[in-house]
Amino acid sequence: MRRKWLLLIASLSCGLSAARAATDCPPVTRVGLSDLGYTSYRENGRIAGIAIEVANEMARRTGCKFEFHWYPRQRLFLELEAGRIDMTMGSMRTPERDVYARYLPYAYLQYDLVLAQTDGKQYASLADYVARGDGRLNVTRGVVYDAAIETQLATLASHGRLEVVNDFETVFGKLEMGRAAGTLATPPIYGKYLKHSKLHVTIVPLPESAPRFTGIYLSKQSVSPAVHQRYAAALKAMTSEQSVRTIYTHYFDDATVKRTFRNGQAPLMTALSAAD
């Protein structure tokens, strides 16, 4: 009998905690996503990928409801700035975005040069390719790169060797058709598009691209500081338990996961602690 009473008390306590959690949440958090390879993609009418798994785990831990919306990359942040969505995933931090949103990192990203057409030369960097190559790169509109990469892209553009398109699906389609020589992409992006492709590429790790945070932006207009702290605490716990890293293992081999998280948990934990 005592055991039954203890189970009943525990059940009631869990129920009250869940109810309390629900009252601390907004009615729904509108999450914006765009084409980023395995980070977020559409398949058979649904949105899937690493970002969805991260968001679903946050929802489970906080008791909050998330609703997913798909946009072209460039429009995504216009929607966030206007307050028509509350959150973006797979986002790099910039001063411009910091004006209207708060940032929470959960992993790292780094861009590589992906070359589909070989000219018999080997390249050590993007600057090397800009100086000695002659092909045209295609990049995606709305994507932010390191300052050193932006400088080289400006040089390519001035030489007529750069084309900006709407999404990575278009980029890799053009690579397969021989209408582009290469692109800049992270392993989650090119890993997905090359998985079932007959395209043979050369991957050049770029010294111009340092490992950077990828994470979440939360609207200052529609997400309260209390909810921001709630989501930060969930991400901090997930980082401490390496839950996000585990999600990455669902999509990549061990070498890619180690490369992605080689900077370790400490910088992520420090950034998330500052947001608590």
Side-chain angles (χ1 to χ4, degrees):
M1 179 63 72
R2 183 173 181 273
R3 177 180 172 79
K4 289 182 179 180
W5 275 110
L6 289 173
L7 289 172
L8 177 61
I9 292 168
S11 176
L12 289 171
S13 176
C14 289
L16 288 171
S17 297
R20 194 177 299 115
T23 61
D24 291 341
C25 293
V28 65
T29 297
R30 300 162 296 177
V31 182
L33 301 116
S34 60
D35 173 22
L36 288 175
Y38 281 128
T39 298
S40 50
Y41 60 93
R42 289 186 294 184
E43 187 174 76
N44 299 323
R46 69 184 184 96
I47 304 173
I50 294 166
I52 298 297
E53 292 200 41
V54 171
N56 284 339
E57 179 61 15
M58 288 177 62
R60 186 187 71 80
R61 289 171 182 254
T62 61
C64 299
K65 180 183 178 181
F66 290 177
E67 181 179 274
F68 301 116
H69 300 266
W70 188 265
Y71 299 99
R73 193 68 183 170
Q74 186 178 36
R75 183 182 164 192
L76 180 66
F77 292 97
L78 296 176
E79 295 291 311
L80 183 68
E81 185 176 12
R84 289 189 289 267
I85 57 174
D86 309 303
M87 178 191 294
T88 63
M89 305 292 292
S91 303
M92 186 182 287
R93 188 171 192 178
T94 70
E96 295 78 13
R97 295 167 184 172
D98 282 349
V99 172
Y100 56 83
R102 300 181 183 91
Y103 193 70
L104 297 173
Y106 58 74
Y108 300 93
L109 61 76
Q110 187 169 9
Y111 282 92
D112 295 329
L113 174 62
V114 182
L115 294 175
Q117 299 176 358
T118 58
D119 53 14
K121 300 175 185 177
Q122 293 185 338
Y123 300 100
S125 65
L126 181 58
D128 188 23
Y129 180 74
V130 171
R132 297 193 301 117
D134 56 13
R136 179 190 295 243
L137 295 188
N138 273 220
V139 296
T140 299
R141 189 173 284 108
V143 173
V144 177
Y145 302 101
D146 301 78
I149 289 179
E150 295 283 5
T151 298
Q152 297 301 327
L153 293 181
T155 301
L156 281 176
S158 69
H159 295 163
R161 294 174 54 199
L162 185 72
E163 185 174 350
V164 181
V165 299
N166 287 334
D167 51 49
F168 285 104
E169 184 176 1
T170 301
V171 169
F172 282 89
K174 293 183 70 175
L175 290 176
E176 287 201 16
M177 291 184 287
R179 293 171 54 194
T183 189
L184 302 178
T186 62
I189 294 169
Y190 63 72
K192 180 180 186 300
Y193 282 104
L194 296 177
K195 185 175 182 179
H196 300 296
S197 172
K198 295 180 181 179
L199 185 66
H200 296 287
V201 301
T202 299
I203 306 295
V204 181
L206 298 181
E208 295 96 339
S209 178
R212 301 273 298 275
F213 285 150
T214 183
I216 290 168
Y217 262 116
L218 290 165
S219 169
K220 291 180 180 178
Q221 181 177 334
S222 62
V223 178
S224 70
V227 173
H228 172 262
Q229 291 175 2
R230 187 177 187 83
Y231 290 164
L235 277 176
K236 186 178 177 183
M238 291 165 64
T239 299
S240 176
E241 298 164 15
Q242 300 195 47
S243 299
V244 176
R245 183 182 177 122
T246 299
I247 289 171
Y248 273 69
T249 66
H250 303 164
Y251 298 85
F252 306 109
D253 59 27
D254 188 55
T256 302
V257 174
K258 284 182 177 179
R259 181 194 175 199
T260 299
F261 288 91
R262 67 185 181 277
N263 278 18
Q265 295 172 257
L268 291 166
M269 293 292 289
T270 298
L272 291 167
S273 294
D276 273 348

